[in-house]
Amino acid sequence: MTRAADIDEYHLALAPHDREIADVLSSEIEQGLPEATGKVWHAHPVWFLDGNPIVGYDRLKDAVRLMFWSGQSFATPGLAASGSFQAGEVRFVDARDIDTEALGRWLQESRDIQWDYEHIRTNRGLVKRTAF
């Protein structure tokens, strides 16, 4: 899989320390979800399965945040609740802090456990669990 050009551009705009984190995350995501489509969406890299956002990351003031849209429903520990829906996140300040084993399990769970964010507008602002 070739990384989307807009994701490479996003990485190039990061400070070297943050770029190292982003490079590890994108490589692990692309390896763990090879069928996903990645692009910059709402100003940060996000990967989609069948049009549904699954995982992405962005640079915050003090860390790089990795977010799984359905992460609160995952069995693998380590993700904190994020927002008012089902998202779960973890933050990194150094690439060495990334637990690639846990990340691999979260990526596997993200394939099987999904809340339907793609149709949130047609569902009147509600997210529904998809059936897989």
Side-chain angles (χ1 to χ4, degrees):
M1 164 185 270
T2 303
R3 182 173 302 144
D6 57 353
I7 293 176
D8 284 336
E9 291 171 16
Y10 178 91
H11 285 201
L12 288 174
L14 296 171
H17 183 259
D18 297 326
R19 186 178 315 132
E20 184 179 356
I21 296 169
D23 286 343
V24 171
L25 293 175
S26 65
S27 293
E28 292 294 323
I29 292 167
E30 290 166 354
Q31 180 180 340
L33 292 174
E35 70 277 25
T37 302
K39 65 180 178 180
V40 172
W41 185 58
H42 295 289
H44 62 274
V46 175
W47 281 260
F48 297 80
L49 290 175
D50 297 323
N52 201 31
I54 301 299
V55 61
Y57 51 85
D58 61 325
R59 175 70 178 115
L60 303 175
K61 184 177 181 179
D62 61 347
V64 174
R65 172 179 52 187
L66 173 68
M67 188 172 80
F68 287 89
W69 268 253
S70 301
Q72 289 184 38
S73 300
F74 296 172
T76 302
L79 296 174
S82 178
S84 58
F85 294 110
Q86 293 296 319
E89 69 174 53
V90 63
R91 297 179 184 199
F92 303 106
V93 295
D94 192 290
R96 293 175 292 195
D97 296 335
I98 300 170
D99 180 345
T100 56
E101 289 183 24
L103 179 52
R105 288 191 297 273
W106 294 325
L107 291 167
Q108 178 60 46
E109 287 183 271
S110 73
R111 184 182 283 115
D112 300 329
I113 300 169
Q114 292 183 37
W115 290 81
D116 185 5
Y117 287 92
E118 181 183 17
H119 299 103
I120 194 169
R121 290 180 189 208
T122 56
N123 291 332
R124 297 187 190 116
L126 301 174
V127 290
K128 298 178 181 181
R129 180 90 182 252
T130 60
F132 284 98

